[in-house]
């Protein structure tokens, strides 16, 4: 699809993913600046922008974190540049201080934030709803549904931002980011949007008296949204039953109403402008309505605001939706729960569910990839901590290694909060070791997370002499979101080489005692870990081993891993099905017929670490033609 990002081809029809549609819309808008920190489900947006940035003459970067990304976009706006900041719902929360201050002082060049929410938390720790942030900051919020709208709404958002002098948020959800649909391309500008000199009296300053202009901008947006083409209605006039949908709810509703034969039993009002709500436009439909069903992801955001609007105008309407139980309170909408809700709402007969919906799919535990160095790290950590007088406390963080708090990592940690918080939770426990907490305190972070938010916490822990161990799991990649570069990898989003930041030297400059170990060198890593746990103060162990997925791609010399069935003890190894249940690598499977371990030649990446942990010594690693 890369040609569609740089070829003008107006009128050309393409099949596009939602993330691709965002990129195409941004290029059609003539962006000058793009910044992001990787986060699913929108990680691909900046990755694609970085590949075409030089050709289209704009700048793109993977920023150290979301705050850096948004604040850089604000700076670009001061020069009149059109800037695009891409985050996920957690990242938008990170930017709260910058976002609210920027909303008060406004922007000069167009500034659009694309936020991708993750209903049902497919690739997240939660399903936070970004819409509340737009309301709280008093900035415009748009939500497209189709891929065509997703592309078209980006240039509109830039124009809206410049007309009103305010940030505009475009909210997507997972099904829009990763879904596909038909898109008709628009024209590409010959050159990016013109930038301007920063004049002496240009001001983007957050001070208290600017609160009034912010509210004035909000009212200007409300007036614009009263006539916005992204709001539309289908159905009977003066409908007494009204369905209000935002985002994917519209597509599910259209499908369900057609399937149920309910097109004439209720009206369908689609809202693409979610904040500020176009109250007069909505009231035109509410005044005839007696019942309203609201379809939205995830919180009852529209439901609460429409109830308030109806109450304000003394309308007697029964509202149905997430809040009253007509739809599930958590998780994403789908064709089944929307069809059931519309059938109950309209009185239409609900067809019997498809047979497939009655089939229960087998549950799969989340796990580390085959050969992942984190599996070895947490296996060693658990073994060492079990040898302590009292069980140690392990604090997690956000990254691939978050799975170590589940079966994959043998439930290795007791707490995880948000990205970058592990160091601070552990610092408090490290202080309490002086006041009777007789436990070793350990926290972990990845190399990308280290640059993202860990460093201020390290300064705090070192300065206050916390008794704790920080383990930096350096796998040379932002692996969880697709191997995007970070300041330690030596490459930028646009493919330029850069001097990589050295985590060990940074930590030593902060005053930490730092040691480096390889989690695949089991014996030495265990010794080092035991020793550091006995030492006072703030200590750091960097566990350095590249991500197995990256290593497997580069591996030239094939390695064969196999199980000697005559040596394997099976259930007699001391743990029931040790290889598959305790070690847990997808490359280690179990032959139920023979009661023995075996290696899956398709999944195994040939790291051979399982052999170092095998209690019976039955697993062998050798060079060979097979992997």
């Amino acid at each position: 699809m890369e040609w569609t990002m740089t070829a003008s081809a107006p009128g050309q029809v393409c099949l596009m993913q939602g993330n691709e549609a965002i990129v195409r819309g941004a290029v059609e808008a003539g962006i000058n600046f793009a910044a992001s920190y990787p986060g699913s489900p929108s990680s691909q947006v900046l990755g694609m922008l970085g590949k075409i940035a030089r050709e289209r003459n704009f700048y793109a970067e993977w920023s150290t974190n979301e705050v850096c990304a948004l604040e850089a976009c604000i700076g670009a706006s001061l020069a009149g540049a059109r800037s695009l900041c891409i985050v996920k719902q957690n990242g938008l929360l990170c930017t709260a201080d910058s976002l609210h201050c920027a909303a008060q002082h406004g922007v000069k060049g167009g500034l659009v934030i694309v936020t991708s929410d993750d209903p049902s938390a497919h690739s997240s720790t939660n399903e936070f709803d970004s819409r509340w942030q737009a309301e709280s900051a008093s900035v415009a919020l748009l939500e497209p549904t189709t891929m065509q709208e997703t592309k078209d709404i980006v240039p509109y958002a830039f124009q809206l931002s410049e007309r009103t002098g305010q940030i505009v948020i475009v909210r997507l959800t997972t099904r829009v980011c990763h879904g596909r649909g038909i898109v008709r391309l628009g024209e590409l500008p010959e050159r990016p949007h013109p930038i301007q000199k920063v004049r002496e009296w240009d001001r983007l300053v957050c001070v208290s008296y600017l609160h009034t202009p912010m509210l004035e901008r909000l009212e200007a947006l409300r007036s614009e949204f009263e006539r916005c083409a992204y709001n539309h209605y289908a159905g009977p006039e003066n409908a007494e039953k009204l369905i209000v949908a935002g985002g994917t709810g519209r597509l599910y509703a259209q499908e369900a109403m057609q399937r149920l034969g309910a097109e004439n039993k209720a009206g369908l009002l689609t809202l693409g402008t979610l904040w500020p709500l176009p109250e007069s436009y909505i009231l035109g439909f509410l005044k005839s309505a007696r019942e309203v069903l609201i379809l939205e992801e995830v919180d009852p955001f529209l439901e609460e605001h429409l109830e308030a609007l109806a109450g304000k105008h003394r309308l007697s309407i029964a509202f149905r939706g997430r809040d009253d139980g007509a739809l599930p309170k958590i998780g994403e909408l789908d064709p089944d729960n929307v069809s059931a809700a519309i059938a109950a709402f309209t009185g239409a007969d609900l067809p019997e569910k498809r047979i497939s919906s009655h089939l229960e799919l087998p549950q799969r535990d989340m796990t580390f990839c085959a050969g992942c160095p984190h599996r070895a790290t947490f296996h060693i950590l658990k073994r060492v901590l079990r040898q302590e007088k009292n069980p140690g406390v392990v604090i997690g963080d956000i990254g691939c290694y978050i799975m170590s708090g589940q079966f994959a990592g043998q439930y290795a940690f007791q707490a995880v909060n948000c990205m970058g918080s592990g160091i601070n939770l552990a610092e408090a426990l490290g202080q309490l070791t002086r006041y009777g907490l007789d436990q070793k305190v350990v926290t972990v972070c990845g190399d990308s997370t280290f640059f993202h938010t860990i460093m201020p916490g390290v300064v705090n822990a070192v300065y206050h002499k916390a008794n704790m161990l920080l383990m930096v799991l350096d796998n040379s990649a932002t692996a969880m979101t697709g191997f995007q570069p970070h300041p330690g990898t030596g490459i930028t989003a646009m493919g330029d080489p850069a001097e990589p930041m050295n985590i060990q030297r940074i930590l030593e400059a902060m005053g930490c005692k730092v040691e480096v170990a390889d989690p695949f060198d089991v014996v030495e890593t265990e010794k080092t870990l035991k020793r550091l746990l006995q030492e006072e103060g703030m200590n750091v162990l960097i566990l350095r081993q590249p991500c197995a997925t990256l290593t497997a791609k580069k591996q030239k010399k094939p390695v064969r891993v196999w199980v000697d069935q005559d040596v394997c003890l099976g259930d007699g190894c001391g743990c029931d099905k040790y290889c598959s249940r305790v070690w847990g690598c997808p490359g280690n499977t179990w032959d139920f017929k023979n009661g023995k371990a075996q290696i899956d030649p398709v999944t195994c990446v040939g790291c051979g670490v399982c052999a170092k942990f095998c209690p019976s010594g039955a697993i062998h690693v050798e060079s060979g033609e097979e992997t």
Side-chain angles (χ1 to χ4, degrees):
M1 294 298 293
E2 194 168 314
W3 71 270
T4 63
M5 305 307 169
T6 57
S8 186
Q12 176 76 46
V13 175
C14 302
L15 181 66
M16 276 192 173
Q17 193 186 64
N19 285 334
E20 293 170 330
I22 287 288
V23 173
R24 176 69 192 200
V27 176
E28 288 184 9
I31 63 164
N32 308 97
F33 192 98
S36 178
Y37 181 84
S40 297
S42 58
S43 299
Q44 297 92 343
V45 175
L46 198 282
M48 287 184 278
L49 286 170
K51 290 181 179 179
I52 63 173
R54 211 178 309 281
E55 180 181 348
R56 296 301 306 173
N57 197 29
F58 64 85
Y59 176 77
E61 74 171 32
W62 285 115
S63 301
T64 309
N65 62 27
E66 293 86 353
V67 176
C68 295
L70 178 56
E71 291 174 350
C73 288
I74 294 168
S77 167
L78 186 58
R82 286 187 169 178
S83 52
L84 182 69
C85 179
I86 307 103
V87 297
K88 67 181 293 180
Q89 79 274 16
N90 308 82
L92 188 65
L93 288 173
C94 285
T95 69
D97 192 7
S98 301
L99 173 62
H100 284 68
C101 290
Q104 292 215 10
H105 60 56
V107 295
K108 183 180 171 186
L111 200 168
V112 175
I113 299 174
V114 170
T115 180
S116 56
D117 287 11
D118 191 17
S120 290
H122 297 284
S123 53
S124 310
T125 56
N126 53 63
E127 52 178 14
F128 288 148
D129 193 320
S130 291
R131 294 177 296 177
W132 303 105
Q133 299 303 306
E135 179 189 5
S136 175
S138 297
V139 299
L141 176 64
L142 307 173
E143 183 169 13
T145 300
T146 65
M147 304 310 141
Q148 185 70 54
E149 281 185 353
T150 302
K151 179 193 78 70
D152 293 342
I153 215 166
V154 176
Y156 170 71
F158 277 112
Q159 295 162 10
L160 181 64
S161 176
E162 288 164 352
R163 279 200 304 271
T164 60
Q166 186 58 289
I167 289 174
V168 174
I169 297 177
V170 176
R171 182 211 190 210
L172 309 178
T173 54
T174 304
R175 300 301 172 186
V176 177
C177 287
H178 293 166
R180 294 186 183 275
I182 296 298
V183 175
R184 187 177 296 277
L185 303 182
E187 287 199 37
L188 294 184
E190 292 184 6
R191 57 185 62 86
H193 186 73
I195 59 174
Q196 307 159 8
K197 288 183 179 179
V198 180
R199 298 164 299 191
E200 182 180 359
W201 292 105
D202 283 340
R203 290 289 183 269
L204 299 181
V205 182
C206 181
V207 289
S208 59
Y209 65 79
L210 287 177
H211 191 64
T212 299
M214 179 184 73
L215 297 179
E216 290 173 350
R217 288 193 292 268
L218 191 65
E219 287 308 309
L221 286 165
R222 195 186 305 275
S223 297
E224 164 131 359
F225 286 174
E226 294 290 355
R227 57 185 185 277
C228 182
Y230 292 106
N231 301 319
H232 36 82
Y233 174 80
E237 291 187 17
N238 302 317
E240 293 190 1
K241 290 181 180 289
L242 179 67
I243 299 171
V244 181
T248 53
R250 164 188 161 195
L251 298 180
Y252 294 141
Q254 288 173 335
E255 178 184 328
M257 293 174 79
Q258 184 178 13
R259 179 178 161 204
L260 298 170
E263 293 98 329
N264 296 320
K265 295 183 178 182
L268 176 58
L269 174 62
T270 301
L271 295 177
T273 61
L274 301 190
W275 193 260
L277 285 174
E279 294 186 357
S280 297
Y281 177 78
I282 294 170
L283 277 170
F285 301 97
L286 290 185
K287 285 180 178 177
S288 62
R290 295 293 174 265
E291 292 182 88
V292 175
L293 172 65
I294 300 166
L295 308 175
E296 57 186 326
E297 308 270 25
V298 169
D299 293 340
F301 178 88
L302 286 173
E303 191 173 348
E304 291 184 9
H305 285 93
L306 294 186
E307 284 179 340
L309 181 61
K312 177 181 174 182
H313 291 271
R314 294 181 172 82
L315 301 177
S316 180
I317 300 174
F319 286 92
R320 307 279 184 261
R322 296 275 197 177
D323 204 30
D324 84 322
L327 288 158
K329 292 185 182 293
I330 62 172
E332 52 183 349
L333 300 176
D334 62 43
D336 285 340
N337 58 36
V338 170
S339 293
I342 291 178
F345 182 67
T346 62
D349 293 329
L350 182 65
E352 291 185 13
K353 290 186 176 181
R354 299 184 183 96
I355 295 175
S356 60
S357 64
H358 291 288
L359 298 177
E360 290 189 12
L361 296 175
Q363 294 294 314
R364 289 185 59 196
D365 290 315
M366 294 177 67
T367 189
F368 296 117
C369 301
C372 178
H374 298 336
R375 179 178 289 104
T377 292
F378 287 103
H379 206 75
I380 293 169
L381 178 60
K382 289 285 285 189
R383 292 205 328 192
V384 170
L385 288 178
R386 287 193 188 105
Q387 299 169 31
E388 292 292 320
K389 180 178 68 172
N390 295 317
V393 183
V394 182
I395 307 297
D397 215 294
I398 304 297
C400 295
Y401 44 89
I402 195 171
M403 289 184 289
S404 61
Q406 304 168 33
F407 174 80
Q410 302 171 65
Y411 305 97
F413 60 71
Q414 283 75 33
V416 62
N417 181 246
C418 64
M419 195 161 186
S421 66
I423 183 76
N424 298 310
L425 271 66
E427 189 268 339
L429 293 168
Q431 300 298 352
L432 294 178
T433 58
R434 300 182 177 90
Y435 298 92
L437 182 67
D438 188 14
Q439 290 178 281
K440 303 300 182 184
V441 179
V442 181
T443 187
V444 299
C445 76
D447 45 332
S448 184
T449 304
F450 174 82
F451 293 109
H452 181 277
T453 16
I454 287 291
M455 289 191 282
V458 173
V459 171
N460 189 55
V462 171
Y463 186 76
H464 294 104
K465 300 180 175 64
N467 289 321
M468 58 178 286
L469 174 65
L470 167 63
M471 295 171 60
V472 181
L473 314 184
D474 185 358
N475 64 359
S476 306
T478 313
M480 188 176 190
T481 54
F483 310 108
Q484 295 83 4
H486 61 65
T489 59
I491 193 167
T492 71
M494 295 169 64
D496 295 328
E499 184 66 30
M501 298 282 185
N502 187 300
I503 294 175
Q504 181 177 355
R505 290 168 60 185
I506 291 171
L507 286 164
E508 288 172 344
M510 289 179 175
C512 297
K513 177 184 175 182
V514 184
E515 296 198 33
V516 180
D518 179 354
F520 285 1
D521 187 348
V522 176
V523 174
E524 289 304 315
T525 298
E526 279 198 24
K527 290 179 182 177
T528 303
L529 184 54
K530 286 178 184 178
R531 177 166 42 79
L532 289 176
L533 285 173
Q534 305 309 317
E535 297 183 5
E536 294 287 314
M538 168 68 182
N539 296 294
V540 179
L541 176 60
I542 299 175
L543 290 158
R544 189 172 292 153
Q545 176 65 228
C547 172
T549 303
L550 293 177
T551 304
K553 291 179 180 178
K554 300 174 182 176
Q555 188 170 293
K556 296 179 180 178
K557 185 178 181 181
V559 175
R560 180 170 177 258
V561 182
W562 58 283
V563 178
D564 186 335
Q565 298 293 313
D566 294 331
V567 177
C568 177
L569 299 176
D571 289 347
C573 70
C575 290
D576 181 34
K577 301 176 181 61
Y578 180 91
C579 291
S580 59
R581 292 190 181 179
V582 178
W583 177 238
C585 179
N588 301 114
T589 60
W590 191 257
D591 183 345
F592 286 95
K593 182 178 179 180
N594 298 315
K596 300 279 187 175
Q598 60 184 12
I599 301 297
D600 180 355
V602 175
T603 310
C604 178
V605 296
C607 71
V609 185
C610 54
K612 300 178 182 179
F613 289 102
C614 177
S616 64
I619 302 179
H620 298 270
V621 183
E622 61 184 33
S623 297
E625 295 304 317
E626 299 180 31
T627 298

